[in-house]
PDB file of all heavy atoms in Angstrom:
ATOM      1  N   GLY A 145      94.499 129.920  84.456  1.00 95.00           N
ATOM      2  CA  GLY A 145      94.647 130.552  85.797  1.00 95.00           C
ATOM      3  C   GLY A 145      96.111 130.382  86.291  1.00 95.00           C
ATOM      4  O   GLY A 145      96.372 130.660  87.472  1.00 95.00           O
ATOM      5  N   MET A 146      96.989 130.076  85.403  1.00 97.00           N
ATOM      6  CA  MET A 146      98.357 129.785  85.800  1.00 97.00           C
ATOM      7  C   MET A 146      99.195 131.105  85.549  1.00 97.00           C
ATOM      8  O   MET A 146      99.992 131.139  84.553  1.00 97.00           O
ATOM      9  CB  MET A 146      98.981 128.618  84.950  1.00 97.00           C
ATOM     10  CG  MET A 146      98.161 127.337  85.149  1.00 97.00           C
ATOM     11  SD  MET A 146      98.797 125.981  83.963  1.00 97.00           S
ATOM     12  CE  MET A 146     100.333 125.615  84.554  1.00 97.00           C
ATOM     13  N   VAL A 147      98.922 132.040  86.383  1.00 96.00           N
ATOM     14  CA  VAL A 147      99.359 133.342  86.184  1.00 96.00           C
ATOM     15  C   VAL A 147     100.938 133.650  86.067  1.00 96.00           C
ATOM     16  O   VAL A 147     101.407 134.136  85.265  1.00 96.00           O
ATOM     17  CB  VAL A 147      98.703 134.326  87.134  1.00 96.00           C
ATOM     18  CG1 VAL A 147      99.349 135.728  87.082  1.00 96.00           C
ATOM     19  CG2 VAL A 147      97.119 134.369  87.166  1.00 96.00           C
ATOM     20  N   ASP A 148     101.509 132.938  87.035  1.00 96.00           N
ATOM     21  CA  ASP A 148     102.977 133.078  87.155  1.00 96.00           C
ATOM     22  C   ASP A 148     103.701 132.610  85.715  1.00 96.00           C
ATOM     23  O   ASP A 148     104.579 133.138  85.275  1.00 96.00           O
ATOM     24  CB  ASP A 148     103.609 132.399  88.372  1.00 96.00           C
ATOM     25  CG  ASP A 148     103.205 133.136  89.645  1.00 96.00           C
ATOM     26  OD1 ASP A 148     102.847 134.308  89.720  1.00 96.00           O
ATOM     27  OD2 ASP A 148     103.259 132.403  90.687  1.00 96.00           O
ATOM     28  N   GLU A 149     103.180 131.421  85.373  1.00 98.00           N
ATOM     29  CA  GLU A 149     103.668 130.885  84.155  1.00 98.00           C
ATOM     30  C   GLU A 149     103.303 131.673  83.018  1.00 98.00           C
ATOM     31  O   GLU A 149     104.286 131.856  82.044  1.00 98.00           O
ATOM     32  CB  GLU A 149     103.172 129.430  83.929  1.00 98.00           C
ATOM     33  CG  GLU A 149     103.578 128.394  85.012  1.00 98.00           C
ATOM     34  CD  GLU A 149     102.775 128.283  86.226  1.00 98.00           C
ATOM     35  OE1 GLU A 149     101.951 129.318  86.511  1.00 98.00           O
ATOM     36  OE2 GLU A 149     102.931 127.405  87.025  1.00 98.00           O
ATOM     37  N   ALA A 150     102.148 132.266  82.970  1.00 97.00           N
ATOM     38  CA  ALA A 150     101.707 133.145  81.812  1.00 97.00           C
ATOM     39  C   ALA A 150     102.587 134.426  81.813  1.00 97.00           C
ATOM     40  O   ALA A 150     103.079 134.839  80.762  1.00 97.00           O
ATOM     41  CB  ALA A 150     100.186 133.591  81.978  1.00 97.00           C
ATOM     42  N   ILE A 151     102.896 134.975  82.944  1.00 97.00           N
ATOM     43  CA  ILE A 151     103.799 136.102  82.894  1.00 97.00           C
ATOM     44  C   ILE A 151     105.201 135.791  82.392  1.00 97.00           C
ATOM     45  O   ILE A 151     105.674 136.552  81.636  1.00 97.00           O
ATOM     46  CB  ILE A 151     103.924 136.737  84.393  1.00 97.00           C
ATOM     47  CG1 ILE A 151     102.565 137.350  84.741  1.00 97.00           C
ATOM     48  CG2 ILE A 151     105.057 137.779  84.611  1.00 97.00           C
ATOM     49  CD1 ILE A 151     102.443 137.715  86.294  1.00 97.00           C
ATOM     50  N   VAL A 152     105.777 134.694  82.829  1.00 98.00           N
ATOM     51  CA  VAL A 152     107.101 134.249  82.371  1.00 98.00           C
ATOM     52  C   VAL A 152     107.072 134.112  80.785  1.00 98.00           C
ATOM     53  O   VAL A 152     108.019 134.717  80.140  1.00 98.00           O
ATOM     54  CB  VAL A 152     107.510 132.962  83.003  1.00 98.00           C
ATOM     55  CG1 VAL A 152     108.710 132.343  82.345  1.00 98.00           C
ATOM     56  CG2 VAL A 152     107.854 133.130  84.510  1.00 98.00           C
ATOM     57  N   MET A 153     105.955 133.467  80.239  1.00 98.00           N
ATOM     58  CA  MET A 153     105.908 133.402  78.835  1.00 98.00           C
ATOM     59  C   MET A 153     105.732 134.623  78.128  1.00 98.00           C
ATOM     60  O   MET A 153     106.284 134.873  76.960  1.00 98.00           O
ATOM     61  CB  MET A 153     104.875 132.361  78.425  1.00 98.00           C
ATOM     62  CG  MET A 153     105.263 130.828  78.852  1.00 98.00           C
ATOM     63  SD  MET A 153     106.587 130.359  77.896  1.00 98.00           S
ATOM     64  CE  MET A 153     107.870 130.057  79.012  1.00 98.00           C
ATOM     65  N   LEU A 154     104.921 135.569  78.663  1.00 98.00           N
ATOM     66  CA  LEU A 154     104.694 136.864  78.073  1.00 98.00           C
ATOM     67  C   LEU A 154     105.956 137.701  78.049  1.00 98.00           C
ATOM     68  O   LEU A 154     106.373 138.316  77.005  1.00 98.00           O
ATOM     69  CB  LEU A 154     103.579 137.570  78.690  1.00 98.00           C
ATOM     70  CG  LEU A 154     102.197 137.111  78.609  1.00 98.00           C
ATOM     71  CD1 LEU A 154     101.189 137.656  79.506  1.00 98.00           C
ATOM     72  CD2 LEU A 154     101.704 137.361  77.091  1.00 98.00           C
ATOM     73  N   GLU A 155     106.783 137.617  79.051  1.00 97.00           N
ATOM     74  CA  GLU A 155     107.893 138.404  79.116  1.00 97.00           C
ATOM     75  C   GLU A 155     108.966 137.725  78.137  1.00 97.00           C
ATOM     76  O   GLU A 155     109.588 138.476  77.366  1.00 97.00           O
ATOM     77  CB  GLU A 155     108.589 138.239  80.657  1.00 97.00           C
ATOM     78  CG  GLU A 155     108.021 139.132  81.533  1.00 97.00           C
ATOM     79  CD  GLU A 155     108.363 138.860  82.962  1.00 97.00           C
ATOM     80  OE1 GLU A 155     109.009 137.819  83.295  1.00 97.00           O
ATOM     81  OE2 GLU A 155     108.031 139.708  83.817  1.00 97.00           O
ATOM     82  N   ARG A 156     109.022 136.484  78.063  1.00 98.00           N
ATOM     83  CA  ARG A 156     109.876 135.812  77.045  1.00 98.00           C
ATOM     84  C   ARG A 156     109.325 136.201  75.583  1.00 98.00           C
ATOM     85  O   ARG A 156     110.246 136.441  74.735  1.00 98.00           O
ATOM     86  CB  ARG A 156     109.947 134.344  77.243  1.00 98.00           C
ATOM     87  CG  ARG A 156     110.696 133.529  76.283  1.00 98.00           C
ATOM     88  CD  ARG A 156     110.713 132.089  76.783  1.00 98.00           C
ATOM     89  NE  ARG A 156     111.288 131.239  75.807  1.00 98.00           N
ATOM     90  CZ  ARG A 156     111.243 130.028  75.954  1.00 98.00           C
ATOM     91  NH1 ARG A 156     110.763 129.295  76.929  1.00 98.00           N
ATOM     92  NH2 ARG A 156     111.783 129.131  74.907  1.00 98.00           N
TER      93      ARG A 156
END
Side-chain angles (χ1 to χ4, degrees):
M146 301 169 70
V147 175
D148 293 338
E149 293 87 344
I151 288 172
V152 169
M153 286 295 114
L154 286 167
E155 289 172 344
R156 183 170 165 188

